[in-house]
Amino acid sequence: RETYHYTRYGNPTVHAAEQHLAAVEDAPDCLLVSSGMCALSTTFLSLLRAGQHVILTSDSYRPTSELLTNLLHRFDALQAAIRPETKVIFTELTTNPHNRVVDLERLVAIKKEARARLVIDATLASPYNIQPLKHGADVVVHSVTKYLGGHNDLVAGAILCRQGMADALREQRALIGGIVGPDA
């Protein structure tokens, strides 16, 4: 593991928590960040480049929708929304606040056909109920503030990813400065 020379890049306490969360999600890697929205921002900034396309399901957490739709044009039905430049498909597994459950198997098939990455916000499902990486998602985010924190005394986010994706995400986290503090 790296030398911990500046806590914004990582520290032993956060690294230990990341290892435990990765084990719970059965993920190759995990990054802890300062909030669930920081987890989404870091993920999207790492995966996307200018001119690329994101598909966002319509029943998503309002701040997530605002994050993406303030930067992108309106979207249509999922299959019809796929374009050659589509790089990311994003949805909440169980939507907030309406608690609709998406068809993960269908999304994985669509993302494979589109050669896009599938980013799942699994906050409301929690790793106890489902581990989307095992089903074909590429990145899973959680607002640790909710079920994973459990006591309403923590503000943090987690990004869990497939093998080979963590370095770019860590670089983006360092640039944004969104790592969760070691005392959290």
Side-chain angles (χ1 to χ4, degrees):
R1 185 67 182 169
E2 65 187 81
T3 304
Y4 302 108
H5 62 279
Y6 191 57
T7 197
R8 181 165 51 94
Y9 302 127
N11 61 71
T13 304
V14 170
H15 178 67
E18 289 171 338
Q19 288 179 313
H20 287 291
L21 279 170
V24 167
E25 187 75 52
D26 198 23
D29 217 332
C30 175
L31 290 80
L32 275 172
V33 293
S34 59
S35 69
M37 286 304 297
C38 185
L40 289 170
S41 299
T42 300
T43 298
F44 293 136
L45 288 170
S46 176
L47 295 178
L48 295 168
R49 302 293 175 260
Q52 292 181 332
H53 183 241
V54 175
I55 294 172
L56 168 71
T57 54
S58 60
D59 185 25
S60 293
Y61 182 54
R62 185 185 47 80
T64 303
S65 296
E66 289 176 7
L67 171 71
L68 291 171
T69 58
N70 286 343
L71 303 173
L72 302 171
H73 297 287
R74 290 286 196 201
F75 50 90
D76 203 341
L78 183 59
Q79 193 78 39
I82 301 290
R83 303 192 303 219
E85 65 271 20
T86 299
K87 297 298 176 199
V88 174
I89 298 171
F90 169 81
T91 189
E92 296 166 354
L93 195 55
T94 305
T95 64
N96 181 2
H98 300 292
N99 292 317
R100 293 186 180 118
V101 179
V102 300
D103 183 343
L104 184 56
E105 187 175 309
R106 179 173 176 257
L107 283 173
V108 169
I110 291 169
K111 77 106 180 182
K112 285 179 181 177
E113 183 179 324
R115 297 182 187 183
R117 294 222 169 116
L118 179 59
V119 177
I120 300 284
D121 182 332
T123 296
L124 296 185
S126 88
Y128 179 80
N129 291 308
I130 190 165
Q131 297 164 336
L133 292 174
K134 287 182 176 179
H135 297 275
D138 298 292
V139 178
V140 176
V141 297
H142 290 278
S143 173
V144 178
T145 309
K146 312 252 184 339
Y147 296 117
L148 290 175
H151 300 287
N152 200 28
D153 60 353
L154 172 67
V155 177
I159 305 167
L160 300 114
C161 58
R162 292 203 169 284
Q163 195 71 37
M165 296 180 71
D167 288 344
L169 288 161
R170 277 195 178 82
E171 184 178 315
Q172 198 65 49
R173 177 182 65 183
L175 292 172
I176 293 171
I179 192 168
V180 67
D183 57 339

